[in-house]
Amino acid sequence: MSSDRRASDPPATDPPDGDPPRVVALAGGVGAARFLRGLVRAVDPRALTVVGNVADDLQVHGLHVSPDLDTITYTLGGGIDEDRGWGRAGDTTVVLDELAQRYGHEPWFRLGDRDLATHLHRTARLRSGATLSTVTAELAASWQVPGTLRPVTDDPLVTRIGVADGRELHFQEWWVGERAAPEPVAVRFAGAQDALPAPGVLAAITSADVVVLCPSNPVVSLGPILAVPGVRAALRSAPVVGVSPIVGGRVLRGMADRLLPLWDCDVDAAAVAGLYADLLDAWVLDTADADRAAAVANLGVTPVVAEAVMRDVPTAQALADTVLAAVLTR
Ligand code: FO1
C-alpha cells in the first residue's frame, strides 16, 4: 500500500493480489434482478458477467421484447417499476390506449410508452443486422448497468407451455395472455438443440471463480439457460452456488409452483437443489427451510442457511456476500 494513503482513505477493496474474483450469474427476471442489485455491490462489476434468459422473448406489435433482459437492465439501471418488477417506473400507456381506442387492438401485453422506446430501438438494431448480444450491451451501456449483461444465446429460443386442452402456448400467452388459467401439462424450450451459446458466455463460465444460479424460476428462467448446448458442461468445470427460489416451501413470486410438477419436482428448497445437484457445490436456503439442509447435504451439496428473502438492497447485498463466501476461498 503506497505510503501517501491518508488514514481516512477507504480501505483498499481489491484482494491483495489485486485480481478481483471473476463472477458469473445466471439470471431470469424479477427475483434475479433484485439479487443482482446486491451482487453488483458485493463484487467488482468489471469482473461480473450476467447471463440472461431470452426464452420469454416475444414479438408484439411487430417489436422484439426481451422481458428478462429488460428487467435486469432497468433494475440495475435504476429505471424499473419497483412494485411490478417489470417495465419502467412511472410509465404511461398513451400509445397502447391509442392502439386500443382508435385501431381496435386489444393489447394484452402492457408495453408502456417509455418501455416502447427500448423495444423500438432493439427491433431497429436487430433489423439492421445487429445481434441480440450487441443490442443488449448497447442498452445496458445506455443505462450504465454495472457488469456485462449477455443473453444466453443470440439464436431463437422460446419457452412453450402445453396446456390441458391440447394447445401449446408461448410462455407469455399462457402467463400473461391467459393469466395462467389453463392447466400446464408440458413445457419445452423450442430451438434449444440448435441454439449456440452467445459470444463470451462459455468463456465467462469456464474462467469463473464462482458461478451463481440466481433465485429464479427453475423451469422457465434457469431452465432455458441450462438447455443451451454446452452450458451445463461448462458449469461442471466451475465452482457453482445456487440460491433457492423457494422459501418456506413456497414461491415468493411468479408461477414456479405451477411448473415444477411438470418436472416431478416438489415445491421445496431441497428438491429444487436436486435439479442442479450435478452442478452445485453449495446451495443457499432461507432460515425458514433450515430443516431441509440435511436433504441438500445428502445430494453432495453444501447447504448454507441464511436470510434469503431480499427486502431491500442491503439485504440483497448481505445475501450476495453469503453466496460468494460459500465457494470463494478467502
Ligand atoms: N407481466 C404481466 O403480468 N402483464 C403484462 O402486461 C406484462 C407486460 C410486460 C411488458 C414488458 C416486460 O418486460 C415484462 C412484462 N410483463 C408483464 C412481465 C413478464 O411477463 C415477466 O417479466 C417475465 O416474462 C416472467 O418473468
Side-chain angles (χ1 to χ4, degrees):
M1 194 175 297
S2 59
S3 58
D4 62 354
R5 282 177 62 85
R6 292 181 303 282
S8 60
D9 276 4
T13 52
D14 276 357
D17 65 6
D19 195 7
R22 287 159 304 198
V23 181
V24 173
L26 306 190
V30 182
R34 290 191 174 146
F35 172 77
L36 289 171
R37 215 164 25 187
L39 185 63
V40 296
R41 288 165 171 76
V43 303
D44 181 335
R46 293 167 299 182
L48 171 65
T49 298
V50 178
V51 178
N53 174 39
V54 297
D56 284 358
D57 289 17
L58 72 160
Q59 301 286 330
V60 58
H61 307 301
L63 300 176
H64 183 125
V65 180
S66 298
D68 280 355
L69 295 176
D70 288 348
T71 281
I72 292 169
T73 300
Y74 291 160
T75 299
L76 296 184
I80 194 72
D81 176 318
E82 195 66 45
D83 298 333
R84 296 187 305 187
W86 51 266
R88 286 285 307 282
D91 212 346
T92 51
T93 58
V94 172
V95 173
L96 279 199
D97 296 344
E98 182 72 356
L99 280 167
Q101 286 147 24
R102 189 169 306 278
Y103 298 118
H105 289 251
E106 289 176 19
W108 55 276
F109 202 72
R110 312 295 297 162
L111 296 174
D113 298 315
R114 289 171 186 78
D115 196 24
L116 278 167
T118 301
H119 313 313
L120 286 166
H121 176 75
R122 176 187 293 114
T123 303
R125 292 285 294 123
L126 291 172
R127 282 208 188 115
S128 67
T131 63
L132 184 61
S133 291
T134 299
V135 183
T136 301
E138 290 172 359
L139 292 168
S142 301
W143 282 92
Q144 297 175 321
V145 168
T148 301
L149 176 57
R150 301 184 186 286
V152 62
T153 181
D154 286 337
D155 297 323
L157 178 63
V158 184
T159 298
R160 312 274 304 165
I161 306 287
V163 294
D165 67 11
R167 290 177 299 154
E168 187 185 61
L169 304 174
H170 183 289
F171 167 73
Q172 299 293 359
E173 288 168 344
W174 174 69
W175 172 236
V176 179
E178 305 202 12
R179 302 197 183 294
E183 198 49 38
V185 296
V187 59
R188 72 183 178 98
F189 307 127
Q193 64 277 17
D194 302 321
L196 292 176
V201 166
L202 295 187
I205 293 172
T206 52
S207 63
D209 296 304
V210 55
V211 178
V212 181
L213 305 189
C214 293
S216 292
N217 187 312
V219 182
V220 294
S221 294
L222 293 186
I225 295 174
L226 297 176
V228 174
V231 172
R232 284 194 90 111
L235 287 169
R236 288 201 189 92
S237 69
V240 179
V241 49
V243 183
S244 174
I246 305 293
V247 171
R250 52 183 192 79
V251 293
L252 295 182
R253 74 182 63 75
M255 82 316 288
D257 53 326
R258 303 281 303 282
L259 300 175
L260 283 166
L262 301 184
W263 286 359
D264 298 322
C265 183
D266 291 340
V267 183
D268 167 81
V272 170
L275 296 174
Y276 315 115
D278 58 323
L279 305 174
L280 287 173
D281 296 276
W283 182 252
V284 177
L285 305 144
D286 184 71
T287 49
D289 300 298
D291 61 327
R292 305 297 294 133
V296 173
N298 287 344
L299 296 168
V301 177
T302 302
V304 176
V305 177
E307 281 301 326
V309 178
M310 299 170 285
R311 304 183 198 295
D312 49 27
V313 175
T315 48
Q317 182 172 351
L319 176 59
D321 285 332
T322 302
V323 167
L324 296 169
V327 292
L328 281 181
T329 50
R330 290 284 170 197

